[in-house]
Amino acid sequence: MPESPRWLVKVGRDEEARFILGRLRGEDDGIADAEFHDIKNIVKLEQDNSQSTSYFAMFFGIKQGKLHTARRVQLVIWLQILQEWIGIAGITIYGPEIFTIAGIAGKDRQWVSGLNNITYMLATLICVFTLDRIGRRWTLYWGAVGQGICCFAAGGLSSATQNATGSHKTHVGGAAVFFVYLYTAIFGATWLTVPWLYPAEIFPLQVRAKGNAWGVVGWSIGNGWCVLLLPTIFAALGEKTLYIFGGVNVLAIIVVWALYPETNQRTLEEMNLVFASDSIWEWEAEKNFKILQEENPGLVKAARMGSSSEDPETGLPRKDSVERRMSLVLQKHG
């Protein structure tokens, strides 16, 4: 596997970066040259706007200019924490108890749980076909809706099972087991994937690896919190704990809608423009990005299509325009 051209430019290995881009894009239409100069311009822009790349500076936004790296750090941390508290840890812990309530014999609970894990694994393949079609936000939306319904349903049916008798108990318990299976499948197709993908798609090149590390920090906080608290919560509330998870899924829809910009079909260069807005709200970021599109069509086209602004006479990329225009745009609309 070749190194990332963006990383090579970042560490000053320009010739290698250009060679790899030529192998990937071809040498016939000038696209490789255009993308190479775009990457160099963006690296310089990020260096000019962000004077410190330490973890501490990223978290507190120290000397980050208009890149708003601290906001991005908070987004990836809290998305990972939400991933843990929308119910996967609880379903995993409480699933065997639901199987017991449903009347599944002890000798059968192991293979029932194993089958649930296999379903979980296969469901992750759904993202391969849907993630780039509907985007990250809509993937999180439909996942949270489905998971919330499953949590409320599994909690209610588990409670009803304990008060049922005979064949009715078997039927109600079986329905509870179905919603456990359905929950894990939906999670595998949606929320399992996006929180790990999102950090790689929103951070500037020079701190991209550290941005992914902040995502792992968020996962560690969320997962550790769940592991410590859930046994106590389940001991006190039993199946009603699933209602809490259902509520968190509702909250997650609102949080994603309000704070998380769409990254689908956008380059790292474009995401710098999306986060150029000083507002934390998603609609303000998109509004600002739309202004950039209207006022600087060549600039946004360069980021999207992998080519710099074009010379109107030759149609070839103009190598010196993107850096100047991006700097002006960020200063004006940051």
Side-chain angles (χ1 to χ4, degrees), residues 36 55 58 94 116 118 126 153 199 219 222 227 265 283 302 307 310:
F36 174 68
Y55 288 104
M58 288 178 65
Y94 200 69
N116 185 38
I118 292 173
I126 295 175
W219 173 82
V227 170
Q265 306 301 324
W283 55 87
S307 61
E310 297 175 349

Side-chain angles (χ1 to χ4, degrees), residues 108-247:
D108 295 326
R109 285 199 292 272
Q110 292 295 331
W111 72 260
V112 171
S113 296
L115 183 60
N116 185 38
N117 289 333
I118 292 173
T119 304
Y120 181 22
M121 177 186 67
L122 294 176
T124 61
L125 298 176
I126 295 175
C127 258
V128 175
F129 303 101
T130 63
L131 194 59
D132 286 337
R133 293 177 182 271
I134 65 175
R136 285 44 167 166
R137 280 162 60 87
W138 277 102
T139 297
L140 296 176
Y141 288 156
W142 84 260
V145 170
Q147 290 162 181
I149 292 172
C150 289
C151 285
F152 287 121
L157 289 167
S158 296
S159 179
T161 302
Q162 298 179 64
N163 299 320
T165 58
S167 61
H168 180 63
K169 180 174 183 177
T170 302
H171 294 316
V172 176
V177 172
F178 166 78
F179 279 106
V180 170
Y181 271 61
L182 183 60
Y183 175 92
T184 53
I186 294 174
F187 179 85
T190 57
W191 276 79
L192 173 66
T193 305
V194 176
W196 293 103
L197 179 64
Y198 202 76
E201 296 183 326
I202 68 169
F203 279 100
L205 176 61
Q206 64 178 357
V207 293
R208 193 180 186 193
K210 291 182 178 179
N212 279 279
W214 277 116
V216 177
V217 169
W219 173 82
S220 301
I221 293 171
N223 191 55
W225 195 7
C226 281
V227 170
L228 289 173
L229 294 182
L230 284 183
T232 302
I233 296 175
F234 273 117
L237 301 179
E239 72 281 350
K240 294 182 179 63
T241 305
L242 298 179
Y243 300 153
I244 297 177
F245 297 140

Side-chain angles (χ1 to χ4, degrees), residues 28-70:
D28 298 333
D29 50 12
I31 291 180
D33 269 328
E35 187 168 356
F36 174 68
H37 286 288
D38 271 351
I39 292 173
K40 285 183 63 79
N41 290 332
I42 291 298
V43 169
K44 187 176 187 307
L45 173 71
E46 291 174 356
Q47 292 171 346
D48 291 342
N49 280 271
S50 180
Q51 302 174 26
S52 179
T53 60
S54 69
Y55 288 104
F56 184 83
M58 288 178 65
F59 187 81
F60 290 102
I62 299 173
K63 296 182 179 180
Q64 299 298 309
K66 296 299 184 180
L67 292 175
H68 298 115
T69 307

Side-chain angles (χ1 to χ4, degrees), residues 215-294:
V216 177
V217 169
W219 173 82
S220 301
I221 293 171
N223 191 55
W225 195 7
C226 281
V227 170
L228 289 173
L229 294 182
L230 284 183
T232 302
I233 296 175
F234 273 117
L237 301 179
E239 72 281 350
K240 294 182 179 63
T241 305
L242 298 179
Y243 300 153
I244 297 177
F245 297 140
V248 174
N249 275 283
V250 175
L251 175 64
I253 295 172
I254 300 172
V255 170
V256 171
W257 169 76
L259 300 176
Y260 287 81
E262 180 60 71
T263 63
N264 188 35
Q265 306 301 324
R266 284 174 169 168
T267 65
L268 295 180
E269 291 78 18
E270 248 185 315
M271 291 311 300
N272 280 341
L273 303 181
V274 173
F275 280 98
S277 172
D278 286 329
S279 173
I280 66 172
W281 306 115
E282 185 273 342
W283 55 87
E284 291 293 338
E286 293 294 344
K287 179 181 178 181
N288 187 68
F289 182 71
K290 187 176 181 180
I291 293 173
L292 300 185
Q293 285 181 305
E294 294 173 351

